[in-house]
Structures are given as C-alpha cells and as structure tokens.
C-alpha cells in the first residue's frame, strides 16, 4: 500500500521541481533586468540607497530559516513530532523577522524618497526584491496551513506536504542568496 | 451609433452593438437548446471534470469558438483591404489596429495553443499507456485559467477597449503614455492569466510523460506525438516564464508609473528582446506538436513505421534547442550591429537543417507505403508542400541584409501564415479528424472532411500566396489602406477572395461536426487500423483505461500485436498507481476569481483588488484542506 503513495508523491516532487525551474527563469529575467538598468544615469545610485545593517540582519534571519526547515525535514523522517513543531515554529518566527526587517528597509527608503518610480535602478530593485518578499509572505501563509493540518490529516500526507514546502522554502532562500550577492553585494561589500 | 434612453444619450459603436446583439441572441438560443435537450447535467459534468479526455475536448471547443471570432476579424481585415482607399464600416485607423491586434493575439494564444494542448490532453496519455494526466486537478486548473485569460482578451472588445498595439505589444506604443485606454491592460492580464495555465499544463505533460508510461514503453519506443509534446513542454517551461516577467514589467510601466520601456532612461528595445526571447520559442511551441501529429498520422496511413525514428526525435530536440538562439532575427532592423545580426542569421538558417530532415523523413515514410487518402492524411499531405514554402521564405528572411527589405512587409505576413496555418492549423485539423473517434466514439464524415480540406487549402494559397508579392512590391504590414498607385490592388483583391474560401472551408468543418453528431457513424476501438496504444482502448476513451495494463515491447506496439499476436497486447504484471480522479468546482471558481482580480487591476479598483486577491489566495487554502490524497489515505487506512 505504501509504495502506491510513494509513486504519486514522486510525481508531485518532479512536478514541483519543474515549477521551480519556471520560477527560477522568472527570477533570472528579473536579475537580468536589474543588471541592465543598474546603475542608471539618474541619481540615486545604489551606494546611496543600500544599507549594510538591514541586509545583514534580514539575511541572517532568512538563511537560518533554511537550517530550521531542514531540521524540520529530518524530524519528519524520524517521525519526531516535537521536532516537527520546533522546525515549523522557528522557521515561521525567522520569516517574521525577515519580513519585518524588509518592511523596515523599504519604509526607510521611501522616507528618504527612494521610491519605485524614482529611477530605473530603484524600479528594477523593487520589482525583483518585492517579488521575492511576496514569495516569503506566501510561504508564511503556507506554514500556517501546514500547522493547522499537522494533527488533522494522516501523518503520511502531512509529511508529503511539508516536504514540498521545504523545497519551496529552500528555493526562496537560494533566490535571496543571489539577491545578496548580485543586487546588494556589488555596492555594499566590495 | 447614438441612441436615447431616459433622456440621456448613449453612444455605442455599431460594430460593438452588432456583436452584443449576436452574442446575446446566440447565447439565448444556446441556452434554449441546451435546456430543451436536457444537456445541463452533461455540461455540469464537463465543468467539474478533471479527466484528460474531457478537458481536451473543452480546450478544443474553446479553441474553435475563438477561431471563429478571430476568423471574423480576419475577414474584416481582408474586406477593408480589398480595394485601395477603402472606407468600409468603421475599420480604419485605430479600429483597424484593434482588429489585427486581437486577431493575432487570439489566434496564437487562444486558438493555436489550445488546439494543440487539447489534442495532447486527448491523445498523449492514451498513446503512452497512462491512465490519466499525472495531476488531474491541476489539469482542470490549467484549462480554466487559460479560458479566463482568453475571456479577458475577448471581452475587451465588448468594453470598447480592445488592445491595439499588435500581438507583439511593442513599446513605447504599448505603454500608458501612448495607449492610456484599458485595451492593453486586457492584453497584459489576459496573457498573464492564461500563461500561468499554460505553464502548469506543461508541467503536467512533463510529469505524465516521464512517469506514467506503460511498463516497457521506453522513451525510445514512444510515438512521436508524445515526444513532440515532451519537448514542447520544456520549451513552454523555459519560454513562458520570460513572457510572465515581460508582462509583469509592462504592467508596472502601465499602471505603477515606472519607465522601463519608455522615457529617457528606459529602453523600448528591451521589450523587444524579452518578447522575442519568449516569442520565437513560442512559434516552435506551436509547430512542434503539429510535427508530432503529422508523424503519427502519416505513419498510420502509410501502414509503415515512421522513417528515421531516431533522427526525428533528435531533429525535434535540435529545433527546440536552436529555437532559443534565434530571437534576434525578429530585430535585424533594430541596429544591433553586423556581428550580432550575422550570428543570429546563421543560427536561424541552421534551423532549416533539422526541419528539412523531418520533411524528408515524412516523404520516406510514405515511400512504398500503402497510402490511404483519408481526411487526416489529406491534411498531412497538404501540410508538406505548404510548410516547405514557409520554410523557404523563413530562410530568405533570415538573411539579415535582405531582411532590411522584407521586414515589416506583407512578405513576413505571408511567411508566418504559411508556417502557422500550413503547419499548426492543418496539423490540428489532421489531429481532430484522426482522434475524433477517441473523443466521442464517432468518426467525422469523410466526404465533408474532403470539402473542408480542399476549400480551406485552396483558399489558403489564394489568400496568402499573393501576400508574398504584395510584400515584395513594398506593401507594409499593419496598414489599413493603400493607394491605387502603390500597385498592390490585385494582390489584395485576390487575397480577399481566398479568405472567403477559407471561411467556407471552416463552415464545412463546423457543418461536418454537426452532421457527424446528427447521423453518427459509431466506430470501434480502432477505426483507422492504428499502430499505437490509443487504438487498443474503447472509443470514446473510458475514464479508467488500460485494465489490464499492456506491456510494451516495441515501437508501434499495437501494430506488432496485430501482426504477431492476433491483435492481443501482452499484459504487464503490475502497473503503477493511477492518478486520483475527482470532480470539483474549485478550478472554475479559482479561474473566475482570477478574472475578477484582473478586472480590478484593469479598472483600478483597489478595494476589489484586495477582496479578489484574498479570494484567490483562499482557493489555495481550500484546495489544501480538501486534498483528495488525504481522503484516499484515510480510505486505505480504513480498509
Ligand atoms: C525554417 C524555419 C524558419 C525560419 C528560418 C524563420 C525565419 C523567420 C524570420 C527571419 C522572421 C522575421 C522576419 C521579419 O520580421 O523581418 C520570421 C518571422 C516570423 N516567423 Fe518564422 N521562421 C521559420 C519558421 C517559422 C515557424 C515554424 C513559425 C510558426 C509556426 C514561424 C512564425 C513566424 C512568425 C509568427 C513571425 C512574425 C512575427 C511578427 O513579427 O509578428 N516561423 N521568421
Ligand atoms: Cu522567429
């Protein structure tokens, strides 16, 4: 009986991997857009806008959350229910921290007049980083649904759902790594 | 046209008024007929279905509907261009721009795509021995998202806000500075919503083909239509996300004040790059499946295994790969420099090589074959010379220096209609005639089919061949009239006559469908003496086919079974678990909500954006909470 489930679940894994390829191409196109338009002839330039502190703090939040969701995955494999909860809750809290920092960052930019339409560097920055942020938000909603389902559906189904989620979450994290190194990095750390 | 109601005057353009009247009357007639024939339960079955055959039929039905609409636009365009300095009805200036924009957009995204995806849905699972698509629920979501996007683009006309910047939506014209009306917003959101559906459909096809083949059906034994579907799906997976982002950026330019594609710092050329990085693969997305159909049809009706099977697959793959490296041939006149132009000219010419290989393989498949001139075969035979002409003009266009003359002329219009009608549309017709028995258990009439074929193909050449000459004589595309001294009258006039012949051909097709249901010729499993697995299951294909599951040992397994085993396929010991079929209102609900969401953006209603946005998201939650996999696990645990 179990083997049947695994077959269907492997369909899902492959399908989701394909979906992530599509997403990766979307982000790649947005990165390309950013490179094309940054820096622009019109001020402000990235060095004026970016601020290392917020980027570092939010990165710490998000990158740690990849570790915690990985911990949650291991817990699923071992059937360790307490570990699953720890993984899920810490991941969620870290994502709250990340989104909080990012909202704070955008807020400051806007206060300083660095808005979406100010110049094309900022436009391409916001449509890229904003799309990533909306992925994080979507993931947070997803985690809430997972938490709700945890004790309400058979464990096998829960395990499958969390597994797919953790692929998603790692993907969102990888995109963030590219954002740090390619969007912020050249203007902050070199 | 102005009229008065309650002391107020209303203005409505007469063409829009006529369209309203037609749609309302035919809607009412349809409603009446459905009620009278007691067909509402059937409709409910189709609306809530997740079964691949029914979804395929839904795709084909919508495609036919949109084919009629965009076809009427084509006739309108041809009437306006029939004689010089024509001033017919309202179709000059911007109205003409709207007509060719929606004609092109609908034909490519809402006719060619769903015709092919519909046929894939009907045939591919059966050809590979799958019991359904890998994700039946998502399959329904794909279809309804496609339809929601199609309805958005189609309804723009009724809101007197048709898109008008061409199917390519070139910036800066497509940006709100120059087209502030809602028209191009409909384009952006319509394509976006249907594009998501298309990406999901491609994922579904990939997983189905990779993981749901019958035991023994190695990739190297797979028929060519599934092969072309697999490769096409990868093209969709890579190309469509680029369109998604192009539209996403265009949306920011149109609605949120950014200036990516206009202004001092913005670059209209960047739109062209994004569009064609998507757009050229897109034209291969709509031709490769047709190649697959022709391969299967020609092999069946020549009673021969397809010639050069391996080279056919490799050619498909190479075309797919090269398809991503040629997009600049649409931009030769932009001025990217001789080096860039040369590079892309060469890659473009290279595509002719694998395409030529396929043409020769089809010819060799027929050589010494036992050819039967059935309707699907006629369409395939019509395809070969027609498509060769399209390929030859393609290679002419790929000569960058010469393209300075051809570009944006009617020569290009002739080229792409030879490829897309000669390839995609004829392919879709061949496929529809071929697999119709698998959809409904009946055959389409052969005699009417022949009328359809001859009217359509002769009409096609009369319409489009003169366009080459008009183009070479300097007639630019996308103009609503020309002068007597331009010396292109005769070409245009002949073209218009041909267009009406094609219209007659299409009527013959629709009449054929009607007649075939009225006086049905019921067929058994295998009306064509077929070679592949779909002809081993009943017609129409059952909801749970392949019980028992066949064991595949060769290419063309059914043919082999007929020759060596008295027609009985060997049985596999065990099969993998089938996808779970469900019925659900959620897919259509989600798509409807996406439509509301899009309209809220198109008409800048922030409150509705929020409500509909929450609505869309709640469908994700509902889906998760009603997941059929959970139900199945519970049932199995209780056993
Ligand atoms: C041998 C293969 C082919 C070659 C070498 C080729 C080459 C070209 C070139 C160079 C152009 C640009 C002309 C210009 O705008 O000046 C073009 C346009 C076009 N081609 Fe092809 N083509 C080939 C096959 C196809 C196929 C198979 C399709 C579709 C089924 C197709 C659809 C189109 C379309 C739609 C356009 C015009 C797009 C527009 O500007 O609206 N072509 N082709
Ligand atoms: Cu092209």
């Amino acid at each position: 009986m179990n083997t049947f489930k695994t077959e269907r679940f492997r369909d899902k894994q492959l399908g989701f991997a394909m979906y992530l390829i599509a997403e990766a191409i979307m982000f790649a196109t947005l990165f390309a857009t950013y490179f094309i338009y940054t820096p622009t002839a019109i001020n402000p330039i990235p060095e004026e806008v970016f601020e290392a502190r917020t980027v570092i703090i939010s990165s710490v939040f998000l990158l740690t959350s990849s570790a915690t969701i990985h911990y949650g995955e291991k817990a699923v494999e071992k059937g360790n229910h307490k570990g699953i909860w720890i993984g899920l809750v810490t991941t969620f809290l870290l994502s709250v921290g990340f989104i909080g920092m990012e909202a704070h960052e955008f807020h400051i930019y806007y206060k300083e007049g660095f808005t979406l339409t100010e110049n094309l560097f900022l436009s391409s920055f916001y449509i890229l980083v904003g799309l990533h942020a909306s992925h994080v938000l979507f993931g947070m909603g997803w985690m809430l649904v997972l938490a709700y389902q945890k004790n309400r559906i058979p464990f096998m189904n829960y395990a499958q759902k969390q597994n797919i989620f953790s692929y998603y979450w790692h993907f969102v994290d990888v995109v963030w790594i590219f954002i740090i190194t390619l969007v912020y990095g050249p203007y902050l750390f070199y | 046209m102005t009229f008065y109601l309650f002391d107020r005057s209303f203005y409505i353009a007469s063409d829009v008024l006529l369209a309203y009247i037609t749609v309302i009357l035919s809607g009412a007639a349809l409603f009446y007929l459905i009620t009278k024939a007691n067909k509402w339960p059937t409709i409910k079955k189709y609306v809530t279905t997740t079964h691949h055959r029914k979804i395929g039929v839904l795709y084909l039905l919508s495609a036919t509907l949109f084919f009629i609409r965009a076809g009427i636009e084509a006739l309108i365009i041809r009437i306006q261009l029939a004689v010089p300095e024509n001033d017919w009805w309202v179709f000059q200036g911007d109205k003409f721009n709207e007509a060719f924009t929606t004609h092109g957009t609908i034909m490519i995204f809402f006719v060619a795509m769903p015709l092919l995806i519909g046929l894939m849905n009907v045939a591919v699972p059966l050809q590979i021995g799958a019991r359904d698509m890998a994700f039946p629920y998502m399959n329904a979501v794909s279809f309804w998202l496609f339809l929601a996007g199609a309805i958005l683009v189609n309804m723009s006309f009724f809101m007197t806000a048709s898109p008008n910047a061409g199917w390519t939506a070139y910036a800066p014209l497509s940006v709100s500075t120059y087209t502030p009306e809602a028209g191009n917003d409909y384009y952006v959101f319509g394509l976006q919503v249907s594009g998501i559906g298309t990406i999901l459909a491609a994922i579904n096809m990939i997983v189905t083909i990779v993981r749901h083949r019958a035991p023994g059906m190695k990739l190297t034994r797979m028929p060519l239509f599934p092969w072309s579907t697999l490769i096409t799906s990868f093209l969709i997976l890579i190309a469509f996300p680029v369109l998604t982002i192009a539209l996403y950026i265009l949306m920011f330019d149109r609605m949120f004040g950014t200036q990516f594609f206009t202004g001092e710092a913005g670059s209209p050329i960047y739109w062209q790059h994004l569009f064609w990085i998507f757009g050229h693969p897109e034209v291969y997305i709509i031709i490769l499946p047709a190649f697959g159909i022709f391969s299967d049809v020609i092999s069946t009706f020549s009673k021969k295994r397809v010639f050069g099977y391996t080279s056919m697959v490799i050619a498909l793959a190479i075309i797919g790969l090269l398809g991503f490296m040629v997009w600049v041939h649409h931009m030769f006149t932009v001025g990217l420099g001789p080096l860039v132009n040369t590079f892309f000219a060469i890659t473009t010419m290279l595509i002719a090589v694998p395409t030529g290989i396929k043409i020769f393989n089809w010819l060799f498949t027929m050589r010494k074959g036992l050819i039967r001139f059935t309707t699907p075969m006629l369409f395939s035979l019509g395809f070969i010379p027609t498509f060769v002409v399209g390929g030859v003009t393609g290679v002419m266009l790929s000569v960058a220096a010469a393209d300075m003359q051809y570009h944006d002329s009617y020569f290009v219009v002739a080229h792409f209609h030879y490829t897309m009608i000669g390839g995609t549309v004829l392919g879709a017709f061949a496929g529809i005639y071929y697999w119709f028995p698998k959809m409904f258990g009946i055959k389409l009439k052969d005699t009417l089919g022949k009328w359809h074929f001859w009217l359509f193909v002769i009409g096609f050449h009369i319409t489009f061949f003169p366009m080459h000459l008009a183009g070479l004589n300097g007639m630019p595309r996308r103009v609503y009239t020309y002068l007597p001294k331009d010396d292109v009258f005769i070409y245009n006039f002949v073209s218009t006559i041909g267009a009406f012949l094609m219209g007659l051909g299409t009527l013959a097709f629709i009449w054929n469908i009607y007649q075939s249901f009225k006086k049905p010729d019921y067929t058994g499993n295998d009306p064509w003496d077929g070679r592949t697995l779909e002809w081993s299951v009943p017609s129409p294909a059952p909801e749970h086919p392949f019980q028992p599951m066949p064991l595949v040992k060769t290419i063309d397994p059914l043919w082999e079974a007929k020759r060596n085993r008295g027609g009985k396929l060997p049985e596999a010991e065990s099969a993998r678990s089938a996808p779970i079929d469900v019925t659900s209102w959620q897919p259509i609900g989600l798509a409807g909500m996406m439509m509301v969401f899009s309209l809220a953006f198109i008409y800048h209603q922030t409150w509705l954006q929020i409500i509909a946005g929450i609505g869309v998201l709640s469908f994700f939650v509902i889906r998760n909470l009603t997941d059929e996999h959970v139900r199945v696990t519970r049932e199995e645990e209780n056993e």
Side-chain angles (χ1 to χ4, degrees), chain B residues 433 445-453 508-509 511-512 515:
Chain B
Y433 279 90
K445 309 274 176 209
D446 216 42
T447 322
L448 276 173
K450 286 183 175 146
W451 275 99
H452 171 201
F453 170 76
F509 174 56
W511 181 243
N512 193 351
Q515 280 293 312

Side-chain angles (χ1 to χ4, degrees), chain A residues 118-189:
Chain A
E118 197 60 19
N119 69 7
L120 281 172
F121 144 60
L122 283 166
S123 303
S124 47
F125 168 78
Y126 279 116
I127 64 170
L128 166 57
V129 180
L131 188 69
H132 175 265
S134 63
H135 275 73
V136 175
L137 280 172
F138 187 87
M140 290 164 71
W142 194 341
M143 279 189 265
L144 291 179
V145 177
L146 279 177
Y148 174 83
Q149 288 181 311
K150 164 77 184 63
N151 291 334
R152 286 180 176 79
I153 60 175
F155 183 67
M156 181 205 288
N157 294 102
Y158 176 78
Q160 296 174 348
K161 284 178 191 295
Q162 183 178 317
N163 182 278
I164 297 289
F165 171 76
S166 64
Y167 288 148
Y168 176 81
W169 199 252
H170 289 312
F171 173 78
V172 171
D173 245 26
V174 170
V175 174
W176 182 251
I177 292 175
F178 278 99
I179 291 180
I180 316 172
T181 45
L182 300 175
V183 173
Y184 292 106
Y187 308 101
L188 282 181
F189 306 122

Side-chain angles (χ1 to χ4, degrees), chain B residues 222-402:
Chain B
M222 202 161 71
L224 283 168
F225 184 48
W227 254 118
S228 65
T229 300
L230 182 63
I231 290 169
T232 304
S233 300
F234 278 108
L235 295 191
I236 293 177
L237 194 69
I238 296 169
F240 266 74
V242 180
L243 175 70
T244 303
I245 294 303
L247 294 168
Y248 172 73
I249 300 177
L250 184 58
M251 174 185 81
F252 274 95
D253 266 16
R254 290 188 58 83
M255 297 186 171
F256 301 106
T258 59
Q259 294 206 312
F260 286 100
F261 300 133
T262 47
E264 270 171 56
S267 160
I269 305 297
Y270 187 48
W271 168 265
Q272 294 191 20
H273 279 295
L274 287 180
F275 188 85
W276 289 117
I277 288 173
F278 151 76
H280 188 87
E282 165 68 4
V283 307
Y284 284 98
I285 287 165
I286 58 185
I287 195 65
L288 292 187
F291 284 175
I293 296 170
F294 290 127
S295 301
D296 287 358
V297 168
I298 291 175
S299 153
T300 299
F301 294 112
S302 307
K303 295 214 175 185
K304 269 182 68 193
R305 177 185 287 196
V306 74
F307 185 89
Y309 175 87
T310 319
S311 67
M312 284 299 226
V313 174
I314 293 174
L316 283 173
I318 294 179
I319 295 175
L321 210 66
L322 282 177
F324 286 103
M325 299 195 261
V326 299
W327 80 88
V328 168
H329 68 216
H330 297 274
M331 302 166 64
F332 282 149
T333 54
V334 161
L336 299 173
L339 202 67
V340 175
N341 279 5
T342 309
F343 174 82
F344 283 94
I346 290 170
T347 51
T348 304
M349 290 170 197
L350 281 178
I351 292 202
V353 176
T355 313
I357 291 177
K358 297 193 76 75
I359 300 271
F360 282 110
N361 282 344
W362 287 314
L363 295 176
F364 284 129
T365 305
M366 287 187 279
R367 184 165 176 265
K368 294 194 180 162
L370 209 63
I371 297 181
R372 288 172 289 162
F373 292 95
T374 57
T375 313
M377 186 63 171
L378 277 184
F379 277 103
S380 312
L381 292 173
F383 149 78
I384 294 177
T386 313
F387 192 80
V388 168
V389 176
V392 168
T393 54
V395 176
M396 290 169 71
L397 292 168
S398 69
V399 182

Side-chain angles (χ1 to χ4, degrees), chain A residues 1 3-23 25-27 29-30 32-34 36-37 40-42 116-117 120 123-128 130-131 138 141-142 145-146 148-149 152-157 160-161, chain B residues 134-135 199-200 203 206-207 210-212 234 237-242 244-246 248-249 252-253 256-262 264-268 270-271 274 575-580 617 620-621 623-627 629-634 636-637:
Chain A
M1 172 194 120
T3 54
F4 272 41
K5 283 298 157 15
T6 348
E7 288 280 344
R8 286 198 192 113
F9 180 56
R10 281 204 221 109
D11 290 350
K12 243 187 213 176
Q13 284 180 310
L14 178 63
F16 199 72
M18 292 299 128
Y19 171 74
L20 289 181
I21 290 179
E23 283 254 32
I25 290 163
M26 293 184 203
F27 276 106
T29 313
L30 284 173
T33 309
Y34 180 81
I36 287 172
Y37 290 114
T40 55
I42 307 165
L116 171 72
T117 53
L120 281 172
S123 303
S124 47
F125 168 78
Y126 279 116
I127 64 170
L128 166 57
L131 188 69
F138 187 87
W142 194 341
V145 177
L146 279 177
Y148 174 83
Q149 288 181 311
R152 286 180 176 79
I153 60 175
F155 183 67
M156 181 205 288
N157 294 102
Q160 296 174 348
K161 284 178 191 295
Chain B
F135 309 112
I199 293 175
L200 296 181
I203 293 172
I206 292 173
V207 178
V210 171
R211 297 194 33 87
H212 284 257
F234 278 108
L237 194 69
I238 296 169
F240 266 74
V242 180
T244 303
I245 294 303
Y248 172 73
I249 300 177
F252 274 95
D253 266 16
F256 301 106
T258 59
Q259 294 206 312
F260 286 100
F261 300 133
T262 47
E264 270 171 56
S267 160
Y270 187 48
W271 168 265
L274 287 180
R576 58 153 297 167
S577 56
I580 308 170
L617 288 176
F620 283 85
V621 180
R623 162 66 184 153
N624 220 333
L625 299 184
T626 56
D627 186 354
H629 293 85
V630 173
R631 192 198 71 220
V632 170
T633 313
R634 290 218 169 97
E636 280 168 6
E637 275 173 359

Side-chain angles (χ1 to χ4, degrees), chain B residues 4 33-34 69 72 96 108 141 144 187 245 270 291 303 359 362 385 398 404 442 486 522-523:
Chain B
Y4 300 91
L33 287 175
I34 292 172
R69 146 140 197 197
I72 291 172
F96 188 85
I108 290 192
V141 171
W144 291 106
Y187 173 94
I245 294 303
Y270 187 48
F291 284 175
K303 295 214 175 185
I359 300 271
W362 287 314
S398 69
M404 301 293 150
I442 57 177
D486 292 334
Y522 294 102
T523 61

